[in-house]
Amino acid sequence: MDHYPGMSWLQPIIHAFFRHQYNFLQALYVPTPFMRQKLVDEERMDRITELRIWGRGVDTDRFGPRHRSLEWRRRLGIDDDEVVLLFVGRLVPEKRPDIFADVVRRLAAEKVGGDGETGGEEGGEEGGGGNAGGGNAGGGNSGVRFRALVVGTGPHQDEMKALPRTTCLGWLSGPDLAVAYASSDVFLFPSSVETFGNVTLEAAASGLPLVVDGGCSGHLVEEGVNGHAVAAGDVDAYYAATRSLVVDGPRQQRLGGAARPQKLRFQT
């Protein structure tokens, strides 16, 4: 409700209704430790019923690195050496596509000199059109080599289409979605309202290092091993974590290589 102005008055009514309903249950199963703790801290649900954890899994045959396709990337105009950032989900306020957009804009504006030092974010997003290729800057400096892919639809779709170096693929499923995951390089997903984080699990199973919310998706991340768990809404931290994977290829590959073995614990 926090993401929808004018609707916050409904929140205590809904909370009271669910608390009353759950009062009749002997046990309530929740998908993650984060959700259990949230219900304890904010709703004191442990006082009216037993809270247990019942997690989820992912089909590791459907989602895996073997679906990676350079040809698929090339058809989208992505160079083989460009790092691809991926967002998968509904483009609605609570999924925080605004943070993804901010990170993309900052990376697109950044200049890297021959010595590897950054030259700040001056210059902005020239052209601003979606699906741009992101040219090099003059004066011996070049931009960060990355592209962004967005899978999903929703009210923020026009904003995402206007981002530099970004391609919006609409809604994908089945083999097409598996290829999109595996053909990307970093999963950037700032949503802080996931009940479990299915898309995060699918991305990890596909061999992508994760940059996700440390609350609702933190149980899927071993910090610095298979990705980074970031405080909710911390745009600067999301940018720093994502950039560290974009500019450091060996580190990106190391964390991505650890992502799938970590997620085999959740396979179905």
Side-chain angles (χ1 to χ4, degrees):
M1 290 295 181
D2 295 337
H3 300 282
Y4 294 91
M7 299 295 289
S8 59
W9 62 272
L10 273 175
Q11 192 163 345
I13 299 174
I14 293 173
H15 284 193
F17 172 77
F18 281 118
R19 184 178 171 84
H20 172 74
Q21 295 298 109
Y22 291 147
N23 186 56
F24 298 101
L25 303 178
Q26 290 185 330
L28 174 64
Y29 286 87
V30 297
T32 66
F34 170 77
M35 290 301 298
R36 184 187 188 282
Q37 196 59 47
K38 185 178 180 68
L39 290 176
V40 170
D41 293 342
E42 298 182 9
E43 307 296 336
R44 297 181 294 178
M45 294 291 292
D46 57 321
R47 299 188 179 185
I48 61 174
T49 188
E50 182 180 359
L51 295 173
R52 300 177 183 174
I53 297 173
W54 188 354
R56 300 176 185 174
V58 64
D59 185 340
T60 53
D61 289 328
R62 172 177 291 185
F63 299 103
R66 67 186 180 87
H67 298 294
R68 186 174 179 85
S69 171
L70 289 178
E71 179 58 32
W72 184 86
R73 289 165 55 109
R74 291 165 187 160
R75 287 201 300 269
L76 294 175
I78 300 171
D79 292 339
D80 292 356
D81 65 342
E82 287 184 303
V83 178
V84 176
L85 309 180
L86 179 66
F87 178 102
V88 178
R90 292 180 296 116
L91 300 178
V92 292
E94 62 266 29
K95 299 288 186 178
R96 301 308 305 265
D98 57 312
I99 294 180
F100 182 91
D102 186 87
V103 171
V104 169
R105 292 190 189 101
R106 291 173 69 170
L107 287 172
E110 186 174 346
K111 302 298 183 290
V112 180
D115 58 358
E117 294 296 323
T118 62
E121 297 178 16
E122 68 276 9
E125 319 134 35
E126 298 182 6
N131 307 338
N136 293 339
N141 291 338
S142 61
V144 177
R145 298 284 294 169
F146 85 98
R147 293 289 296 274
L149 295 180
V150 176
V151 175
T153 59
H156 283 262
Q157 189 166 353
D158 288 342
E159 176 189 358
M160 305 303 266
K161 287 181 176 179
L163 291 174
R165 306 185 194 180
T166 298
T167 299
C168 292
L169 300 174
W171 197 256
L172 298 179
S173 61
D176 293 334
L177 179 59
V179 171
Y181 275 123
S183 301
S184 300
D185 300 296
V186 176
F187 188 64
L188 171 57
F189 191 61
S191 172
S192 59
V193 295
E194 302 302 295
T195 52
F196 181 81
N198 286 349
V199 293
T200 301
L201 195 56
E202 291 165 356
S206 301
L208 274 60
L210 310 171
V211 182
V212 297
D213 181 81
C216 61
S217 298
H219 62 292
L220 300 174
V221 176
E222 187 173 348
E223 180 63 32
V225 175
N226 67 328
H228 297 288
V230 180
D234 191 337
V235 181
D236 289 339
Y238 271 108
Y239 168 70
T242 303
R243 185 189 182 281
S244 72
L245 294 169
V246 171
V247 302
D248 189 343
R251 186 169 182 276
Q252 174 208 126
Q253 293 175 12
R254 185 174 68 252
L255 270 63
R260 182 172 170 85
Q262 289 279 96
K263 295 306 157 282
L264 290 178
R265 298 179 292 122
F266 297 92
Q267 67 180 326
T268 59

